[in-house]
Amino acid sequence: MSNEATLHSQQEVMHGAHDHHDHEHHHEDNFISKYVFSLDHKMIAKQFLITGIIWAIIGAFFSVVFRLQLGFPDATFPWLESILGHWAKGGRITPEAYYALVTMHGTILVFFVLTAGLSGTFSNLLIPLQVGARDMASPFMNCLSYWFFFLASLVMMASLFVQTGPASGGWTMYPPLSALGDASIGSKIGVDLWLISMALFVVSQLLGGLNYISTLLNMRTKGMSMTKMPLTIWSFFFTAVLGVLSFPVLLSGFILLLMDRHAGTSFYLSDIFIAGKALANEGGSAILYQHLFWFLGHPEVYIIILPAMGMVSEVLAVSSRKPIFGYLAMIGSLFAICILAFLVWAHHMFVTGLNPFLGAFFVLLTLLIAVPSAIKVFNWLTTIWKGNIRFTPASLFSIGFVSTFISGGLTGIWLGNSSIDIHLHDTYFVIAHFHIVMGVSAFFGMFAGIYHWFPKMYGRFMNNTIGYIHFWVTLVGAYLIFWPMHYEGMAGMPRRYFDYSSWTSFNQFGGLNQFISIVVILVFATQLLFVFNFFYSIFKGRKLTEQNPWKATSLEWTTPINPGHGNWPGEIPEVHRWAYDYSKDGRDFIPQTEPIGPNESAH
Amino acid sequence: MHTMSIQRKKIHPHKYSLWIAMGSITMMFIGFTSAYVVKRSQANWLAFELPHIFWLSTAVILLSSLTIHLALKQFRERNMQRYKQLITLTAVLGVAFAACQWIGFSQLKNSGLPLSGPVSASFIYVIVGVHMLHVLGGVVALLIMFARAYRTRIRTYSPVPIEVAATYWHFVDVLWIYLLIFLSIAR
């Protein structure tokens, strides 16, 4: 028994006990316990990733379908009828199908891909590996977290196939449209399934978040003080805190919405006429829902972007062979973003009749977010400044992340001002802003993470050539798609419209919309190339021959090439230094496990 | 053949997770109660008295906090017979609490304030109902613990599960007192 073990051995956790001792003895893992109901955080991470990839293909495909309508409003595509049936009679999607597609595109990408697929994958994979833990605090809860996500996925998937179609009131599900089944065809059972699915999703996120926080605060290896943790771990920590505190509020909003739909309550409903008939509901407020929704909804965008920031910080340091610039400032700015995230929700509601006096405070707090964001951008740029950069696909995607985060973030300053927002609200300017800063950036962070940690996940590399093609087409494509939308938005072109052709002032954008739609198809095809590369490389990729292919300092590269459940055979290594000792004292890199030398000072 | 060392941890992971979970549940009720505050400041707010039985249910849940505290003490002293009695009593009191709340609902309904009535009443049903579900979740945990105490083949000496259950139980108790004070003051 090691010193560490005798010092810290306590009453064993029930399911932990069998895993921790002599793992090599127990290779009775059968298919079900290894691949399906796995308790190993690495396998659960892969389950989240692959489920996320499947959802991403579906969600992105939906955008291709509605972009076809927006780019070619007069054309017909008979193949659409063969897959969508009566939703695309004669090869042209119906207005109802269009609304269902945009709603599902938003829901799937925001929640199922960029929340579960992104932080679900990398928090699970990296937290135990980088802090030096055998597994999560509760592997069982972790397994449960994935299966709740899977159930949520099943319900959401089922809602795509019901007769009246999935929810179609926009991904924000604002009442009264979403609260009244008679209001539209997309407000019938589709909304119930949406709410049930999202409730399951919230449970999954809470189970995951509890585990991430208690693992990284409580189970770090010897010597791994909080300020020796890689920035990835710090970002996952703040992500989990945001999720744990804001998802329950969303759930309470959903519960009230479900009551309004089925129990006859009037939390959100008042003075409504449907088809000339007055409803009995009285005294409710639709704005109340918006408060509850955006109290989650705003932190949600940081839940999406913080993990990407953390992974980009890590990848940029590794690939430019330099310590991260301003480590403590990076943590401080993550913390500031985390606090501010809870104080700015009403900037989504400037045009709801919000008191302008109150609005001024939300403008101020919103603009304050520019400070920590600028600190982060400055630190990324100074990290790669004069670095000996290795342009791997992971590092290219990280640099691309910095680019899109800047160009998408700057338009946030416009929208954060309530007076400008009144003009730009619900136009394509907003679409352009959040797709670049949150959609594309988060995807770039996720791609960087996948290319960088693929060797750790599968013991093989992904194909670099396809990776480079994937990067350049995606970067150029993303700008070609979303940049023109700024102009459309400034001209006042509203979002969520099915057909602009009867609206002469926007006819000038007909050609531009066609162009955007064509680029969307090309970029979508390139993502399929990435998916091919991913799955092909799992089985046929170039094999990893060394433990530490990127010459990185952090702990995950001290595990065997294909680590078993428990991660390290024998002792968990002890940590002596921070994770960013690159190009120090004439050495390319010094692993975290190496003690500080006599002539050396800690960072 | 390598031997893996035991995981290093400062606090038992289940206890740690429970504390974070309690924070999370608190946020949910903060969501409900702040929605209540927002709604209350708007027009058409109907104020009414809470059902009196809610005071009885408060006494019941306070008593159950005491019994689970004693149960934990008996478990630590390995008085398994007393432990089983006390844990059963706690579960019974939990169900009694839920029953009281249910009676409160029907009193509300009979006084002309159904679920689909004024918003102020609907809030009572939802807030009290969701809290009741959390108490019943605790009852299920206690029943599992009760079944475990009867196992003869595997004996548990770890006080962790009962400590976790007791902390949760005190938490739903405190949560109820907060809700009661909130709902009586902010009418």
Side-chain angles (χ1 to χ4, degrees):
Chain A
M1 267 300 187
S2 70
N3 207 11
E4 180 188 89
T6 37
L7 275 175
H8 296 276
S9 73
Q10 298 180 359
Q11 296 286 351
E12 258 312 321
V13 195
M14 290 166 305
H15 21 259
H18 138 103
D19 298 323
H20 293 331
H21 302 288
D22 293 359
H23 186 257
E24 269 82 347
H25 284 306
H26 295 272
H27 251 303
E28 313 152 37
D29 275 352
N30 56 26
F31 183 82
I32 299 279
S33 69
K34 185 160 182 217
Y35 293 107
V36 185
F37 296 108
S38 174
L39 296 179
D40 185 355
H41 69 101
K42 299 183 290 296
M43 183 56 69
I44 294 170
K46 293 175 196 171
Q47 291 175 327
F48 268 110
L49 181 57
I50 289 173
T51 317
I53 287 177
I54 293 167
W55 271 121
I57 298 170
I58 297 170
F61 175 71
F62 284 178
S63 75
V64 171
V65 175
F66 67 68
R67 267 324 304 188
L68 282 179
Q69 162 63 26
L70 290 171
F72 309 93
D74 303 319
T76 54
F77 305 93
W79 58 271
L80 272 179
E81 190 174 359
S82 51
I83 47 172
L84 294 176
H86 71 275
W87 295 102
K89 269 252 152 22
R92 192 178 171 212
I93 56 170
T94 60
E96 289 78 18
Y98 176 82
Y99 293 127
L101 288 171
V102 291
T103 304
M104 284 297 126
H105 170 78
T107 306
I108 290 169
L109 266 301
V110 168
F111 293 112
F112 289 70
V113 181
L114 292 175
T115 304
L118 180 55
S119 72
T121 302
F122 289 103
S123 298
N124 264 313
L125 180 74
L126 293 178
I127 288 175
L129 284 174
Q130 288 194 333
V131 303
R134 293 278 179 222
D135 202 325
M136 285 287 180
S138 166
F140 174 67
M141 235 161 72
N142 211 19
C143 172
L144 218 54
S145 160
Y146 173 75
W147 286 100
F148 266 100
F149 170 53
F150 186 82
L151 267 181
S153 296
L154 277 188
V155 175
M156 194 60 85
M157 193 72 88
S159 84
L160 299 175
F161 294 96
V162 295
Q163 175 71 26
T164 50
S168 62
W171 76 278
T172 51
M173 216 46 61
Y174 282 168
L177 184 58
S178 62
L180 300 165
D182 296 329
S184 84
I185 187 171
S187 304
K188 294 186 196 302
I189 191 168
V191 174
D192 293 320
L193 292 172
W194 192 92
L195 288 170
I196 292 165
S197 166
M198 285 306 300
L200 293 167
F201 183 86
V202 169
V203 173
S204 147
Q205 285 304 303
L206 292 179
L207 289 170
L210 297 182
N211 233 343
Y212 306 153
I213 297 174
S214 55
T215 306
L216 70 88
L217 287 185
N218 196 30
M219 291 166 65
R220 299 190 305 275
T221 185
K222 203 173 173 199
M224 179 67 89
S225 62
M226 291 291 274
T227 48
K228 289 198 177 76
M229 299 195 305
L231 285 172
T232 34
I233 302 302
W234 274 103
S235 72
F236 298 144
F237 172 58
F238 286 118
T239 306
V241 169
L242 285 172
V244 161
L245 295 181
S246 64
F247 270 115
V249 179
L250 181 76
L251 186 61
S252 56
F254 286 165
I255 291 174
L256 298 184
L257 184 55
L258 261 179
M259 300 301 277
D260 269 6
R261 287 178 63 81
H262 294 294
T265 57
S266 316
F267 293 111
Y268 305 134
L269 301 171
S270 190
D271 310 317
I272 292 171
F273 289 81
I274 288 187
K277 216 176 77 206
L279 297 186
N281 303 88
E282 212 182 304
S285 153
I287 308 294
L288 180 60
Y289 176 85
Q290 295 199 19
H291 280 296
L292 290 172
F293 181 86
W294 286 113
F295 189 81
L296 161 94
H298 197 79
E300 171 65 25
V301 306
Y302 297 107
I303 290 173
I304 286 173
I305 203 73
L306 291 187
M309 287 177 167
M311 293 193 291
V312 163
S313 308
E314 177 77 9
V315 171
L316 282 180
V318 173
S319 58
S320 46
R321 315 307 298 163
K322 277 181 65 189
I324 191 86
F325 188 92
Y327 174 77
L328 285 175
M330 285 300 223
I331 299 171
S333 53
L334 282 174
F335 180 67
I337 290 176
C338 182
I339 298 290
L340 287 171
F342 284 111
L343 304 175
V344 296
W345 78 92
H347 71 207
H348 298 268
M349 300 164 60
F350 285 144
V351 298
T352 56
L354 187 79
N355 185 336
F357 181 71
L358 205 60
F361 283 97
F362 282 104
V363 170
L364 178 71
L365 290 165
T366 303
L367 297 185
L368 271 182
I369 295 184
V371 177
S373 308
I375 291 173
K376 298 200 80 74
V377 166
F378 179 80
N379 287 351
W380 287 318
L381 294 178
T382 37
T383 299
I384 56 176
W385 180 255
K386 292 192 173 172
N388 182 13
I389 306 178
R390 297 171 181 177
F391 288 104
T392 57
S395 74
L396 285 176
F397 271 109
S398 302
I399 298 168
F401 169 93
V402 179
S403 161
T404 52
F405 186 69
I406 295 172
S407 48
L410 286 175
T411 53
I413 298 176
W414 293 42
L415 291 168
N417 282 287
S418 53
S419 47
I420 308 179
D421 182 67
I422 289 168
H423 174 64
L424 292 175
H425 194 88
D426 265 346
T427 67
Y428 269 78
F429 193 90
V430 178
I431 308 278
H433 160 69
F434 77 74
H435 273 92
I436 293 183
V437 77
M438 160 184 141
V440 177
S441 299
F443 261 106
F444 276 26
M446 188 168 171
F447 288 137
I450 294 173
Y451 282 107
H452 190 78
W453 281 287
F454 191 87
K456 190 74 259 165
M457 284 191 260
Y458 295 102
R460 291 171 186 270
F461 290 96
M462 287 180 73
N463 182 300
N464 265 357
T465 314
I466 305 182
Y468 292 133
I469 296 171
H470 176 216
F471 170 71
W472 286 109
V473 176
T474 311
L475 179 77
V476 174
Y479 274 120
L480 290 180
I481 292 166
F482 296 115
W483 200 262
M485 289 188 187
H486 289 106
Y487 301 112
E488 297 183 336
M490 278 191 277
M493 193 166 126
R495 65 193 281 203
R496 295 197 166 126
Y497 276 55
F498 171 67
D499 190 352
Y500 297 88
S501 50
S502 57
W503 207 333
T504 30
S505 48
F506 301 126
N507 280 349
Q508 54 168 328
F509 294 126
L512 199 55
N513 274 333
Q514 255 176 42
F515 171 76
I516 293 174
S517 298
I518 292 166
V519 182
V520 166
I521 294 166
L522 288 176
V523 171
F524 178 65
T526 312
Q527 306 315 306
L528 293 182
L529 196 63
F530 161 78
V531 174
F532 165 77
N533 187 4
F534 180 85
F535 285 105
Y536 182 81
S537 302
I538 290 178
F539 302 103
K540 297 277 158 113
R542 183 163 58 89
K543 267 196 175 160
L544 201 60
T545 51
E546 48 180 338
Q547 263 181 325
N548 190 357
W550 311 122
K551 308 265 177 292
T553 57
S554 44
L555 276 186
E556 76 270 31
W557 305 107
T558 61
T559 58
I561 291 176
N562 287 307
H565 194 177
N567 299 336
W568 288 270
E571 295 291 307
I572 300 179
E574 189 180 335
V575 166
H576 298 278
R577 57 178 75 232
W578 74 334
Y580 297 101
D581 271 340
Y582 291 101
S583 306
K584 191 185 187 191
D585 301 337
R587 285 177 65 185
D588 183 30
F589 75 107
I590 311 175
Q592 278 191 283
T593 49
E594 201 176 301
I596 304 273
N599 302 322
E600 193 189 357
S601 57
H603 75 275
Chain B
M1 183 61 59
H2 300 287
T3 324
M4 282 188 185
S5 63
I6 285 171
Q7 174 66 49
R8 179 190 145 95
K9 53 193 171 270
K10 294 169 192 127
I11 304 171
H12 193 284
H14 290 179
K15 286 187 190 167
Y16 210 104
S17 303
L18 176 74
W19 280 98
I20 304 165
M22 292 190 309
S24 188
I25 296 170
T26 307
M27 279 308 286
M28 185 178 180
F29 283 92
I30 287 177
F32 280 129
T33 48
S34 38
Y36 184 94
V37 169
V38 169
K39 212 64 253 341
R40 186 169 158 267
S41 63
Q42 293 173 350
N44 288 335
W45 182 261
L46 182 80
F48 56 87
E49 287 246 337
L50 288 179
H52 292 299
I53 194 156
F54 283 180
W55 297 99
L56 176 64
S57 64
T58 311
V60 170
I61 199 165
L62 278 173
L63 189 62
S64 73
S65 253
L66 180 70
T67 54
I68 199 161
H69 175 74
L70 294 175
L72 176 60
K73 217 171 139 198
Q74 296 299 328
F75 183 91
R76 286 201 179 119
E77 290 164 13
R78 303 299 298 168
N79 292 332
M80 294 313 279
Q81 203 52 43
R82 296 299 300 276
Y83 161 73
K84 280 180 211 162
Q85 285 166 357
L86 282 165
I87 209 167
T88 318
L89 187 58
T90 313
V92 169
L93 286 171
V95 175
F97 172 80
C100 284
Q101 306 295 76
W102 193 257
I103 295 168
F105 286 167
S106 53
Q107 283 180 354
L108 264 182
K109 199 176 164 194
N110 293 337
S111 60
L113 296 165
L115 174 58
S116 56
V119 185
S120 47
S122 310
F123 264 118
I124 304 280
Y125 285 97
V126 173
I127 295 176
V128 174
V130 173
H131 175 263
M132 197 169 87
L133 287 180
H134 281 84
V135 173
L136 289 177
V139 170
V140 172
L142 288 183
L143 290 179
I144 293 171
M145 221 97 68
F146 180 75
R148 267 201 203 143
Y150 274 98
R151 278 187 311 199
T152 44
R153 276 189 50 232
I154 315 161
R155 284 191 184 279
T156 37
Y157 294 93
S158 161
V160 171
I162 171 82
E163 280 169 5
V164 167
T167 311
Y168 177 77
W169 199 268
H170 296 318
F171 166 71
V172 288
D173 185 351
V174 170
L175 187 60
W176 168 248
I177 288 166
Y178 157 69
L179 290 174
L180 187 72
I181 293 171
F182 174 84
L183 293 173
S184 338
I185 292 175
R187 253 190 286 149

